[in-house]
Amino acid sequence: MRAMSSAAVFLAATLVLAGCAGYERDSSQRTVGEWTDDAAILSIVKARLLADDSIKSLDISAQVRRGVVTLFGVVATPAQHTQAIEIARGVRGVTDVVDRLVVVETAQ
């Protein structure tokens, strides 16, 4: 039983070290810190969009890469468009907002 336990520890250590040795990062890859920062920013942006009653945030998608938020989707009015961008800009850690939102006004 002890030999099996030692083998499992050895295997785990080997896999971890092999993974670290093979890790090469170029400028297009995010660090773990950047990835977690981006995930936190994304969560906050989505939560604030959902909390805003003036925006139909289910029609808005967002992506974050190195602090740059990209908003995609459809909004019904120019006011919703402006509000969505301002919400994203107001989140701590956001360095820029890329606007890919489309205003599609519906006839009433």
Side-chain angles (χ1 to χ4, degrees):
M1 185 63 140
R2 183 172 179 189
M4 183 181 275
S5 176
S6 296
V9 169
F10 175 77
L11 177 62
T14 302
L15 291 174
V16 168
L17 291 175
C20 291
Y23 179 74
E24 294 180 25
R25 189 176 85 82
D26 63 30
S27 63
S28 68
Q29 295 174 321
R30 293 182 287 181
T31 64
V32 172
E34 290 170 331
W35 188 88
T36 55
D37 289 348
D38 289 346
I41 291 169
L42 181 61
S43 295
I44 294 168
V45 168
K46 286 184 173 184
R48 289 186 182 174
L49 288 171
L50 280 171
D52 192 304
D53 292 333
S54 68
I55 299 175
K56 292 189 175 200
S57 62
L58 295 178
D59 295 333
I60 299 175
S61 298
Q63 292 179 345
V64 182
R65 182 157 183 90
R66 292 189 170 142
V68 177
V69 176
T70 303
L71 298 175
F72 303 91
V74 177
V75 292
T77 66
Q80 288 179 353
H81 178 262
T82 302
Q83 181 67 9
I85 292 170
E86 290 304 314
I87 286 171
R89 281 192 181 134
V91 173
R92 183 176 176 211
V94 172
T95 59
D96 194 14
V97 177
V98 177
D99 176 16
R100 299 280 188 257
L101 295 172
V102 178
V103 177
V104 178
E105 296 186 54
T106 57
Q108 295 181 358

